[in-house]
Amino acid sequence: MELHLGRKLLFSPLLKELCQKQKIVLIADTRLKDLYASALARHLNADLFLISNQKNEKVLISLLKQLLAKSYGKDTIFLALGGGSITDLVGFAASIFLRGVPLILLPTTLLAICDAAIGSKTGIDTPFGKNLIGSFYEPKAVVADLDTLDSLPEEERTQGEVEIIKMGLIHDPSILENLDIQKAIDAKRFIVSKDPKDQGLRRILNFGHTIGHALETASEVSHGKAIAWGLVLESLLSVQMGYLSPSDFELIHKLLKPFLKEEVKKRFRKEVFWQSLMRDKKRAGGDVRSVLLDQIGRAANFDGNYCTRITLTQIEKAFSFFYDYDPSI
Amino acid sequence: MELHLGRKLLFSPLLKELCQKQKIVLIADTRLKDLYASALARHLNADLFLISNQKNEKVLISLLKQLLAKSYGKDTIFLALGGGSITDLVGFAASIFLRGVPLILLPTTLLAICDAAIGSKTGIDTPFGKNLIGSFYEPKAVVADLDTLDSLPEEERTQGEVEIIKMGLIHDPSILENLDIQKAIDAKRFIVSKDPKDQGLRRILNFGHTIGHALETASEVSHGKAIAWGLVLESLLSVQMGYLSPSDFELIHKLLKPFLKEEVKKRFRKEVFWQSLMRDKKRAGGDVRSVLLDQIGRAANFDGNYCTRITLTQIEKAFSFFYDYDPSI
């Protein structure tokens, strides 16, 4: 997979060269129509399809039907323009359309550039949980044009920053100094290259996500807001279980404090939270499992499993931090 | 991929050993419920799901939703029991459920044993054409129990025999002597191993299928009945275009004569046939393409493309054989 990170990439000759001799289908977030999508479709002489940024079955089936109706062949290349929901869904569509057509990802959010577009995971969410249907599918290239970030809403930038902090916490503390995008991408590529099919090391990418995902469902807040809390609470679990020092936790707390929103607490529904955890528990073979840190910049190894069983009592204990949280302190 | 071909395999210790330590989900053709499915589920201590043998979006989505509702995890193994429609659909489901769970195919028809279950292609049909949505996904094992063929209806046996004849025509003429199942499987495995992603040699497996698929749509007959005609008509194209000798064609005609059913002629709708070909043409980048034989047991190479452009005039010419066919001659 080729990765191109820089400015002025979307309309440079690069993309045209990458698509040579292929029929181009550009699938873009409908909100990007006037910003980049229509202009890029004209520039590339591509057919344009606009979709909503919800990666669910309905959007997927509707897209596939539109594509099938046009009788595209194996000489087609899919380009996905948008955030992580778009790159995940279009990646999945590319992997199953005619059993796989070439794919280029054009991520336009910080989160998609650092996370979703790297690592070949595609998929959609279902009413039963996130990312439960999908595939591993390597794009031909990822072209990340940093210019697209200039128009990014603050909230979306925040989501990306939270994931970059996660990369720093689990793999490379130098990332935490100035939230360097290239370093965060390098870290993710390194981890994925060691474990492409998610059977060991790659699990460390789930740090903050056991609790974070359940919070996302329980509070119906954005991924970034939920994961920020997840990172702090799973760091606290790491302290409780004797892996991380309290002073390291304090540093992590300080780092993530600007991202810990009251909204997540206010909207929190306890029953939904536990239901969601229980479903993950069943899916994981009967245990709730979490990645833990043993220091800032390193996830605990657990004999190559990179996650461990955590008890509901431990989670309850960590949650007193959440329930009692006072942002003014 | 392990292949086990023999008798008394379904209820032997083999399957249990292959599934060790995994939660077993048995997905079977609903028509096999009383014949094997319920008993096998009990034998394996598996959860049983019965589905219709139509590999379409509706059956796929319904199956996935039932599976998701049960919160199966990555420690689940899918077993597919049935004909090619079942193994194709369940294979596809296994490839996208949690981004892929292990899969064992238990083909119960001659066609599925010799063709669908071998070669890692999965997929579903759509109103726009056959197998347009799917994946390449290698099963852990294929366990083909020949006992299941004893209860096979004549029509389904015929479908398998037609595909075995195809394998003989394109790759190994010795298969034609007594339609040997093991030899047909070996031929398919050899071809697939040389070209797993369908970019060259594997195309010879489409012999008979350019015309056959369009006939299947146009006459709404079973795959086997349509492909039998497709094999004869594409053999005739091979003669017309100077690759195959007329005497070889006569041998092929004689071999396939028992499979050339009047029903296909009677139900033939010409407009639908050409529409279907035109859609394939667009999908193939503007040409109708076909595999041709240059002798019995060998598909023409065409510089490693293993197929060539055929004109509508050539097809029309070959079709006079179809229109004028008198089974008594």
Side-chain angles (χ1 to χ4, degrees):
Chain A
M1 191 266 287
E2 303 178 28
L3 174 75
H4 301 271
L5 179 73
R7 291 198 170 264
K8 301 201 189 311
L9 292 181
L10 279 184
F11 294 89
S12 73
L14 169 75
L15 253 185
K16 269 193 181 166
E17 279 159 25
L18 284 169
C19 299
Q20 250 175 7
K21 288 191 192 164
Q22 292 170 100
K23 175 81 194 147
I24 307 171
V25 166
L26 174 64
I27 304 160
D29 187 328
T30 192
R31 296 172 304 176
L32 298 179
K33 177 167 184 273
D34 296 329
L35 207 50
Y36 314 107
S38 298
L40 187 58
R42 275 194 305 275
H43 173 71
L44 296 170
N45 195 20
D47 290 355
L48 176 62
F49 295 83
L50 296 167
I51 59 175
S52 89
N53 75 327
Q54 288 165 325
K55 48 173 199 170
N56 59 34
E57 171 205 332
K58 211 177 131 204
V59 175
L60 176 72
I61 301 267
S62 156
L63 173 65
L64 287 175
K65 284 189 175 161
Q66 288 178 64
L67 294 167
L68 288 169
K70 296 260 185 173
S71 302
Y72 292 113
K74 283 261 186 198
D75 58 340
T76 310
I77 184 164
F78 285 9
L79 273 54
L81 179 74
S85 295
I86 301 289
T87 57
D88 278 5
L89 182 137
V90 175
F92 185 41
S95 75
I96 63 174
F97 190 79
L98 307 181
R99 297 200 184 93
V101 291
L103 168 72
I104 294 177
L105 301 179
L106 310 172
T108 62
T109 67
L110 188 54
L111 183 61
I113 288 174
C114 298
D115 189 27
I118 312 295
S120 302
K121 280 188 177 179
T122 80
I124 55 171
D125 297 335
T126 79
F128 304 96
K130 291 164 62 79
N131 294 316
L132 297 183
I133 300 292
S135 61
F136 289 93
Y137 196 65
E138 191 177 347
K140 181 180 176 187
V142 176
V143 177
D145 189 333
L146 294 170
D147 286 343
T148 61
L149 302 185
D150 297 341
S151 54
L152 204 63
E154 186 55 30
E155 165 128 7
E156 298 225 28
R157 173 170 295 275
T158 299
Q159 301 216 26
E161 286 167 353
V162 169
E163 286 291 336
I164 293 175
I165 290 173
K166 182 196 76 181
M167 298 306 300
L169 295 178
I170 58 175
H171 184 70
D172 176 3
S174 79
I175 292 173
L176 301 170
E177 288 160 26
N178 54 1
L179 303 192
D180 187 90
I181 297 177
Q182 182 67 57
K183 276 189 179 174
I185 293 175
D186 291 346
K188 175 135 188 200
R189 292 189 85 174
F190 174 82
I191 293 162
V192 167
S193 73
K194 295 286 172 198
D195 175 24
K197 288 297 173 74
D198 211 355
Q199 292 159 334
L201 182 65
R202 189 167 180 160
R203 293 190 188 128
I204 69 174
L205 295 167
N206 290 327
F207 181 58
H209 284 62
T210 301
I211 289 176
H213 268 167
L215 273 178
E216 191 177 351
T217 308
S219 299
E220 292 185 334
V221 292
S222 72
H223 185 71
K225 283 179 185 162
I227 297 303
W229 275 107
L231 293 174
V232 168
L233 292 167
E234 293 184 14
S235 298
L236 190 51
L237 275 176
S238 307
V239 177
Q240 282 173 200
M241 294 173 72
Y243 295 96
L244 187 70
S245 73
S247 60
D248 270 0
F249 174 74
E250 276 319 312
L251 286 171
I252 293 171
H253 176 206
K254 207 167 141 190
L255 198 63
L256 282 160
K257 204 166 174 181
F259 302 99
L260 299 181
K261 302 297 177 193
E262 277 293 284
E263 183 192 351
V264 185
K265 280 184 64 180
K266 282 190 187 133
R267 298 168 61 100
F268 183 70
R269 292 166 300 164
K270 199 169 178 175
E271 345 53 88
V272 180
F273 177 81
W274 290 107
Q275 272 166 23
S276 175
L277 266 191
M278 287 308 103
R279 205 154 54 192
D280 284 354
K281 180 182 163 184
K282 186 167 175 205
R283 209 166 273 135
D287 287 333
V288 179
R289 295 184 156 269
S290 175
V291 176
L292 298 178
L293 299 182
D294 53 19
Q295 65 181 53
I296 290 179
R298 198 174 71 196
N301 183 300
F302 298 113
D303 299 327
N305 282 312
Y306 294 99
C307 64
T308 192
R309 180 173 168 264
I310 51 175
T311 65
L312 304 188
T313 317
Q314 288 285 7
I315 297 175
E316 266 294 2
K317 190 173 162 198
F319 256 71
S320 61
F321 180 88
F322 176 74
Y323 296 134
D324 303 339
Y325 193 68
D326 178 353
S328 67
I329 299 169
Chain B
M1 190 267 286
E2 303 178 27
L3 174 76
H4 301 271
L5 179 73
R7 291 198 171 263
K8 302 202 190 305
L9 291 181
L10 279 186
F11 293 90
S12 73
L14 169 75
L15 252 185
K16 269 193 181 166
E17 280 160 25
L18 284 169
C19 298
Q20 250 175 6
K21 289 191 193 166
Q22 291 169 101
K23 174 82 195 147
I24 307 171
V25 166
L26 174 63
I27 304 160
D29 187 328
T30 194
R31 296 172 304 177
L32 298 179
K33 179 167 182 274
D34 296 329
L35 207 50
Y36 313 106
S38 298
L40 187 58
R42 274 194 305 275
H43 173 70
L44 296 171
N45 194 21
D47 290 355
L48 177 62
F49 295 83
L50 296 167
I51 59 175
S52 89
N53 76 327
Q54 287 165 327
K55 49 173 198 169
N56 60 35
E57 172 205 331
K58 213 178 131 202
V59 175
L60 176 72
I61 301 265
S62 156
L63 173 65
L64 287 175
K65 284 190 175 160
Q66 289 178 65
L67 294 167
L68 288 169
K70 297 259 185 175
S71 301
Y72 292 114
K74 282 262 185 197
D75 58 339
T76 311
I77 185 164
F78 285 11
L79 272 55
L81 179 74
S85 294
I86 301 289
T87 57
D88 278 4
L89 182 137
V90 175
F92 185 40
S95 75
I96 63 174
F97 189 79
L98 306 182
R99 296 199 184 95
V101 291
L103 168 72
I104 294 177
L105 301 179
L106 310 171
T108 62
T109 66
L110 187 57
L111 183 60
I113 289 174
C114 298
D115 189 27
I118 312 294
S120 303
K121 280 189 178 180
T122 80
I124 55 171
D125 297 336
T126 79
F128 304 96
K130 290 163 64 76
N131 294 316
L132 296 184
I133 301 293
S135 61
F136 289 94
Y137 196 65
E138 192 176 348
K140 181 180 176 186
V142 176
V143 178
D145 189 334
L146 294 169
D147 287 344
T148 62
L149 301 186
D150 296 342
S151 54
L152 204 64
E154 184 57 30
E155 164 126 9
E156 297 225 31
R157 173 171 294 277
T158 298
Q159 301 217 25
E161 285 168 353
V162 169
E163 285 292 336
I164 293 175
I165 290 172
K166 182 196 77 180
M167 297 307 299
L169 294 178
I170 59 175
H171 183 71
D172 175 3
S174 80
I175 292 173
L176 301 171
E177 288 160 25
N178 53 1
L179 303 193
D180 186 89
I181 297 177
Q182 182 67 58
K183 275 189 180 175
I185 293 175
D186 292 345
K188 177 137 188 198
R189 292 189 85 173
F190 173 82
I191 292 162
V192 168
S193 72
K194 294 286 172 200
D195 175 24
K197 288 297 172 76
D198 210 356
Q199 292 160 333
L201 182 66
R202 189 167 180 162
R203 292 190 188 127
I204 69 174
L205 296 167
N206 290 326
F207 181 59
H209 283 61
T210 301
I211 289 176
H213 268 167
L215 273 178
E216 191 177 350
T217 308
S219 298
E220 292 183 335
V221 291
S222 71
H223 185 70
K225 283 179 184 163
I227 297 304
W229 275 107
L231 292 174
V232 168
L233 292 168
E234 293 184 14
S235 297
L236 189 52
L237 275 176
S238 307
V239 176
Q240 281 173 200
M241 294 171 72
Y243 296 95
L244 187 70
S245 73
S247 59
D248 271 358
F249 174 75
E250 276 320 310
L251 287 170
I252 293 170
H253 174 206
K254 206 167 144 192
L255 197 63
L256 282 160
K257 204 165 174 179
F259 302 98
L260 299 181
K261 302 297 176 194
E262 277 293 284
E263 183 193 353
V264 185
K265 280 184 65 180
K266 280 189 190 136
R267 298 168 61 100
F268 183 70
R269 291 166 301 163
K270 198 170 178 176
E271 346 52 90
V272 181
F273 177 81
W274 290 107
Q275 271 165 23
S276 174
L277 267 191
M278 286 309 102
R279 205 156 52 193
D280 286 351
K281 179 181 163 184
K282 186 168 174 208
R283 209 166 274 135
D287 286 333
V288 178
R289 294 183 156 269
S290 174
V291 176
L292 298 179
L293 299 182
D294 54 19
Q295 65 181 53
I296 290 179
R298 198 174 71 198
N301 182 300
F302 298 114
D303 300 326
N305 282 311
Y306 294 100
C307 65
T308 192
R309 181 172 168 265
I310 51 174
T311 64
L312 304 187
T313 317
Q314 288 284 6
I315 297 176
E316 265 294 2
K317 191 174 161 197
F319 255 72
S320 61
F321 180 88
F322 176 75
Y323 297 133
D324 303 339
Y325 192 69
D326 179 351
S328 66
I329 299 169

